[in-house]
Amino acid sequence: PFMKKLLLLTCALLMGISAYSQEITIEYQPGYGTYNMSAMKDHLKQVLQSNPLRGVKTTDNFSGHLTHDLRMGCLINKHHFGVLFSHMNTAGQNHLADYSGEYKYRMRVYGNKLGAFYRFALAEPGRFTPFIELSAGGVFSTAKIHASLMINDAGTEKDEIKLKGTNLFVQPALGVFYRFCSFASISASLGYEWDPITSMSMEGNKATIDADWTGLRINAGIITYFKIK
Protein backbone atom coordinates (compact mmCIF):
# COMPACT_ATOMS: atom_id res chain seq x y z
CA PRO A 1 0.00 0.00 0.00
CA PHE A 2 2.81 2.44 0.85
CA MET A 3 4.66 1.86 -2.44
CA LYS A 4 1.42 2.13 -4.43
CA LYS A 5 0.68 5.51 -2.81
CA LEU A 6 4.27 6.64 -3.45
CA LEU A 7 4.07 5.70 -7.13
CA LEU A 8 0.69 7.39 -7.62
CA LEU A 9 1.87 10.53 -5.84
CA THR A 10 5.07 10.71 -7.89
CA CYS A 11 3.23 10.18 -11.19
CA ALA A 12 0.70 12.87 -10.28
CA LEU A 13 3.57 15.22 -9.41
CA LEU A 14 5.27 14.52 -12.72
CA MET A 15 2.13 15.19 -14.72
CA GLY A 16 1.41 18.36 -12.81
CA ILE A 17 4.89 19.80 -13.16
CA SER A 18 5.39 18.71 -16.78
CA ALA A 19 3.30 21.71 -17.84
CA TYR A 20 6.02 23.98 -16.43
CA SER A 21 9.06 21.85 -17.20
CA GLN A 22 11.60 22.63 -19.88
CA GLU A 23 12.15 18.96 -20.82
CA ILE A 24 10.84 15.47 -20.16
CA THR A 25 13.57 12.81 -19.94
CA ILE A 26 13.63 9.06 -20.50
CA GLU A 27 16.79 7.15 -19.67
CA TYR A 28 18.27 3.67 -19.53
CA GLN A 29 21.30 2.97 -17.37
CA PRO A 30 22.88 -0.47 -17.28
CA GLY A 31 25.38 -0.88 -14.48
CA TYR A 32 27.05 -3.07 -11.89
CA GLY A 33 26.14 -3.61 -8.25
CA THR A 34 27.63 -5.34 -5.23
CA TYR A 35 25.28 -6.81 -2.62
CA ASN A 36 25.61 -7.34 1.13
CA MET A 37 23.34 -10.41 1.40
CA SER A 38 24.80 -11.27 4.82
CA ALA A 39 21.78 -13.34 5.91
CA MET A 40 21.79 -15.27 2.63
CA LYS A 41 25.53 -15.93 2.92
CA ASP A 42 25.16 -17.12 6.53
CA HIS A 43 22.34 -19.48 5.54
CA LEU A 44 24.37 -20.93 2.66
CA LYS A 45 27.33 -21.45 5.03
CA GLN A 46 25.14 -23.19 7.64
CA VAL A 47 23.72 -25.53 4.98
CA LEU A 48 27.28 -26.32 3.86
CA GLN A 49 28.52 -27.04 7.38
CA SER A 50 25.56 -29.28 8.22
CA ASN A 51 25.80 -31.28 4.98
CA PRO A 52 26.87 -34.91 5.58
CA LEU A 53 28.27 -35.24 2.04
CA ARG A 54 32.04 -34.88 1.73
CA GLY A 55 33.49 -32.51 -0.81
CA VAL A 56 30.58 -30.06 -1.11
CA LYS A 57 31.85 -26.55 -1.85
CA THR A 58 30.35 -23.09 -2.18
CA THR A 59 30.74 -22.30 -5.88
CA ASP A 60 28.80 -19.02 -5.90
CA ASN A 61 28.40 -16.66 -2.94
CA PHE A 62 26.09 -13.79 -3.98
CA SER A 63 28.65 -11.92 -6.04
CA GLY A 64 28.08 -8.59 -7.73
CA HIS A 65 26.09 -8.56 -10.95
CA LEU A 66 24.70 -6.41 -13.75
CA THR A 67 21.85 -4.01 -12.98
CA HIS A 68 19.25 -2.42 -15.26
CA ASP A 69 17.81 1.01 -14.48
CA LEU A 70 14.92 2.78 -16.28
CA ARG A 71 13.86 6.34 -15.42
CA MET A 72 11.41 9.02 -16.49
CA GLY A 73 11.73 12.57 -15.23
CA CYS A 74 11.31 16.31 -15.57
CA LEU A 75 14.25 18.67 -16.03
CA ILE A 76 13.87 22.29 -14.86
CA ASN A 77 17.13 24.24 -15.03
CA LYS A 78 19.39 22.61 -12.40
CA HIS A 79 16.65 20.39 -10.99
CA HIS A 80 15.94 16.92 -12.33
CA PHE A 81 13.45 14.55 -10.67
CA GLY A 82 11.19 11.63 -11.53
CA VAL A 83 10.43 7.94 -11.08
CA LEU A 84 12.71 4.93 -11.44
CA PHE A 85 12.53 1.17 -11.93
CA SER A 86 15.57 -1.08 -11.51
CA HIS A 87 16.22 -4.81 -11.74
CA MET A 88 18.92 -6.69 -9.82
CA ASN A 89 19.81 -10.35 -9.33
CA THR A 90 22.43 -12.54 -7.69
CA ALA A 91 22.85 -16.13 -6.55
CA GLY A 92 24.56 -18.48 -4.11
CA GLN A 93 25.25 -22.19 -4.52
CA ASN A 94 26.69 -25.23 -2.75
CA HIS A 95 27.63 -27.95 -5.23
CA LEU A 96 29.21 -31.38 -5.58
CA ALA A 97 29.43 -33.58 -8.66
CA ASP A 98 31.38 -36.80 -9.29
CA TYR A 99 30.98 -40.16 -11.00
CA SER A 100 28.24 -41.27 -8.57
CA GLY A 101 25.90 -38.30 -9.01
CA GLU A 102 25.34 -34.63 -8.23
CA TYR A 103 24.22 -32.50 -5.26
CA LYS A 104 23.12 -28.89 -5.67
CA TYR A 105 21.73 -26.28 -3.26
CA ARG A 106 21.05 -23.10 -5.20
CA MET A 107 19.62 -19.77 -4.02
CA ARG A 108 18.63 -17.33 -6.75
CA VAL A 109 17.54 -13.84 -5.64
CA TYR A 110 15.81 -11.18 -7.73
CA GLY A 111 15.11 -7.57 -6.75
CA ASN A 112 12.92 -4.96 -8.46
CA LYS A 113 13.29 -1.38 -7.26
CA LEU A 114 10.53 1.19 -7.57
CA GLY A 115 11.02 4.71 -6.31
CA ALA A 116 11.77 8.37 -7.00
CA PHE A 117 14.96 10.30 -7.70
CA TYR A 118 16.16 13.90 -7.45
CA ARG A 119 19.27 15.34 -9.07
CA PHE A 120 20.85 18.74 -8.65
CA ALA A 121 23.36 20.10 -11.16
CA LEU A 122 26.54 21.39 -9.51
CA ALA A 123 27.14 23.82 -12.37
CA GLU A 124 25.09 25.61 -15.00
CA PRO A 125 23.82 22.98 -17.46
CA GLY A 126 26.21 22.69 -20.41
CA ARG A 127 28.01 20.05 -22.41
CA PHE A 128 29.60 18.59 -19.23
CA THR A 129 27.47 18.88 -16.10
CA PRO A 130 28.35 17.26 -12.74
CA PHE A 131 25.48 16.43 -10.42
CA ILE A 132 24.53 14.97 -7.06
CA GLU A 133 21.58 12.62 -6.71
CA LEU A 134 19.37 11.03 -4.08
CA SER A 135 16.88 8.24 -4.77
CA ALA A 136 14.60 6.31 -2.42
CA GLY A 137 11.77 3.81 -2.52
CA GLY A 138 11.14 0.09 -2.17
CA VAL A 139 12.80 -3.12 -3.32
CA PHE A 140 10.50 -6.06 -4.02
CA SER A 141 12.54 -9.25 -3.68
CA THR A 142 11.97 -12.89 -4.58
CA ALA A 143 14.27 -15.72 -3.49
CA LYS A 144 14.02 -19.18 -5.04
CA ILE A 145 15.81 -21.96 -3.14
CA HIS A 146 16.29 -25.17 -5.07
CA ALA A 147 17.83 -28.34 -3.59
CA SER A 148 18.46 -31.49 -5.62
CA LEU A 149 20.28 -34.79 -5.17
CA MET A 150 20.85 -37.02 -8.18
CA ILE A 151 22.32 -40.48 -7.71
CA ASN A 152 23.18 -42.46 -10.83
CA ASP A 153 20.80 -45.38 -11.41
CA ALA A 154 18.71 -44.31 -8.39
CA GLY A 155 16.85 -41.23 -9.59
CA THR A 156 16.66 -37.63 -8.43
CA GLU A 157 15.15 -35.95 -5.38
CA LYS A 158 14.20 -32.27 -5.61
CA ASP A 159 12.78 -29.61 -3.33
CA GLU A 160 12.07 -25.94 -3.97
CA ILE A 161 10.74 -23.06 -1.88
CA LYS A 162 10.03 -19.42 -2.67
CA LEU A 163 10.34 -16.39 -0.39
CA LYS A 164 9.16 -12.84 -1.01
CA GLY A 165 9.95 -9.59 0.73
CA THR A 166 10.01 -5.81 0.63
CA ASN A 167 12.89 -3.50 1.58
CA LEU A 168 13.16 0.26 1.85
CA PHE A 169 16.22 1.78 0.17
CA VAL A 170 18.08 5.09 0.07
CA GLN A 171 20.78 5.72 -2.52
CA PRO A 172 22.98 8.83 -2.77
CA ALA A 173 25.14 9.19 -5.90
CA LEU A 174 27.58 11.50 -7.67
CA GLY A 175 27.77 11.68 -11.45
CA VAL A 176 28.22 13.65 -14.65
CA PHE A 177 26.27 14.26 -17.88
CA TYR A 178 27.84 14.71 -21.30
CA ARG A 179 25.23 16.26 -23.59
CA PHE A 180 26.53 15.51 -27.08
CA CYS A 181 23.43 16.83 -28.89
CA SER A 182 20.21 18.71 -28.12
CA PHE A 183 18.10 15.57 -27.60
CA ALA A 184 20.49 13.11 -25.91
CA SER A 185 23.30 12.83 -23.39
CA ILE A 186 25.51 10.16 -21.84
CA SER A 187 25.57 9.85 -18.06
CA ALA A 188 27.82 8.09 -15.58
CA SER A 189 27.41 7.86 -11.81
CA LEU A 190 28.81 6.23 -8.70
CA GLY A 191 26.46 5.59 -5.78
CA TYR A 192 25.82 3.49 -2.72
CA GLU A 193 22.51 1.81 -1.91
CA TRP A 194 21.54 1.36 1.73
CA ASP A 195 18.60 -0.84 2.73
CA PRO A 196 17.77 0.16 6.33
CA ILE A 197 14.65 -2.04 6.47
CA THR A 198 14.66 -5.61 5.11
CA SER A 199 12.20 -8.49 5.47
CA MET A 200 11.13 -11.72 3.76
CA SER A 201 8.35 -14.21 4.30
CA MET A 202 7.22 -17.60 3.04
CA GLU A 203 3.48 -18.21 2.66
CA GLY A 204 2.75 -15.36 5.06
CA ASN A 205 5.22 -16.46 7.74
CA LYS A 206 8.27 -14.31 8.51
CA ALA A 207 11.48 -15.91 7.27
CA THR A 208 14.76 -16.05 9.19
CA ILE A 209 16.69 -14.74 6.17
CA ASP A 210 16.29 -11.59 4.10
CA ALA A 211 17.67 -10.05 0.91
CA ASP A 212 19.90 -7.08 1.75
CA TRP A 213 20.83 -5.30 -1.49
CA THR A 214 23.08 -2.76 0.27
CA GLY A 215 26.20 -2.06 -1.79
CA LEU A 216 28.06 -0.10 -4.45
CA ARG A 217 26.29 1.03 -7.63
CA ILE A 218 28.11 1.97 -10.84
CA ASN A 219 25.96 3.12 -13.75
CA ALA A 220 26.42 4.52 -17.24
CA GLY A 221 23.73 5.08 -19.82
CA ILE A 222 21.90 7.37 -22.19
CA ILE A 223 19.26 10.03 -21.55
CA THR A 224 16.87 11.33 -24.20
CA TYR A 225 15.20 14.75 -23.93
CA PHE A 226 11.79 15.89 -25.16
CA LYS A 227 11.16 19.62 -25.10
CA ILE A 228 7.79 20.60 -23.62
CA LYS A 229 8.11 24.35 -23.30
Side-chain angles (χ1 to χ4, degrees):
F2 171 76
M3 288 309 303
K4 184 177 180 180
K5 290 179 180 179
L6 176 64
L7 179 60
L8 291 173
L9 178 62
T10 306
C11 289
L13 184 63
L14 276 176
M15 289 186 290
I17 295 180
S18 62
Y20 303 96
S21 101
Q22 294 180 343
E23 293 171 306
I24 295 294
T25 61
I26 297 176
E27 57 190 276
Y28 170 61
Q29 295 189 18
Y32 177 82
T34 63
Y35 314 118
N36 182 291
M37 295 292 167
S38 57
M40 294 284 180
K41 292 177 181 178
D42 289 344
H43 175 76
L44 195 64
K45 184 177 180 180
Q46 291 171 3
V47 171
L48 177 67
Q49 293 174 341
S50 62
N51 198 310
L53 297 175
R54 289 186 176 183
V56 179
K57 294 183 178 180
T58 298
T59 56
D60 200 350
N61 199 21
F62 303 99
S63 58
H65 211 274
L66 295 177
T67 63
H68 301 275
D69 192 292
L70 294 170
R71 303 186 180 208
M72 181 176 180
C74 295
L75 178 62
I76 305 176
N77 297 323
K78 290 186 175 183
H79 306 280
H80 191 189
F81 52 90
V83 294
L84 65 86
F85 172 81
S86 300
H87 177 75
M88 308 171 289
N89 73 91
T90 186
Q93 177 174 272
N94 293 334
H95 185 249
L96 170 65
D98 59 22
Y99 68 91
S100 63
E102 181 182 29
Y103 164 79
K104 183 184 295 184
Y105 189 91
R106 185 162 182 80
M107 304 173 69
R108 170 69 71 178
V109 191
Y110 305 90
N112 292 314
K113 292 168 62 174
L114 183 63
F117 72 91
Y118 171 75
R119 294 180 182 137
F120 179 74
L122 298 176
E124 288 298 324
R127 188 168 291 273
F128 283 98
T129 307
F131 65 86
I132 55 174
E133 175 184 303
L134 182 66
S135 59
V139 186
F140 304 93
S141 303
T142 299
K144 296 180 179 179
I145 303 177
H146 176 84
S148 64
L149 177 63
M150 186 272 290
I151 300 176
N152 292 338
D153 302 324
T156 303
E157 292 187 9
K158 296 181 179 180
D159 189 22
E160 184 171 299
I161 61 173
K162 181 186 291 186
L163 298 87
K164 293 187 175 182
T166 303
N167 299 0
L168 293 181
F169 80 90
V170 178
Q171 182 178 319
L174 181 65
V176 64
F177 295 120
Y178 171 61
R179 192 153 181 172
F180 58 89
C181 66
S182 62
F183 59 85
S185 68
I186 296 172
S187 68
S189 64
L190 176 64
Y192 189 85
E193 177 179 331
W194 175 47
D195 290 15
I197 299 176
T198 61
S199 67
M200 295 202 89
S201 61
M202 183 179 66
E203 298 179 351
N205 298 314
K206 183 174 176 59
T208 57
I209 58 176
D210 55 42
D212 186 355
W213 297 97
T214 296
L216 187 68
R217 299 291 182 270
I218 302 172
N219 291 90
I222 188 165
I223 303 175
T224 54
Y225 302 85
F226 303 89
K227 290 187 179 296
I228 301 300
K229 190 175 181 180

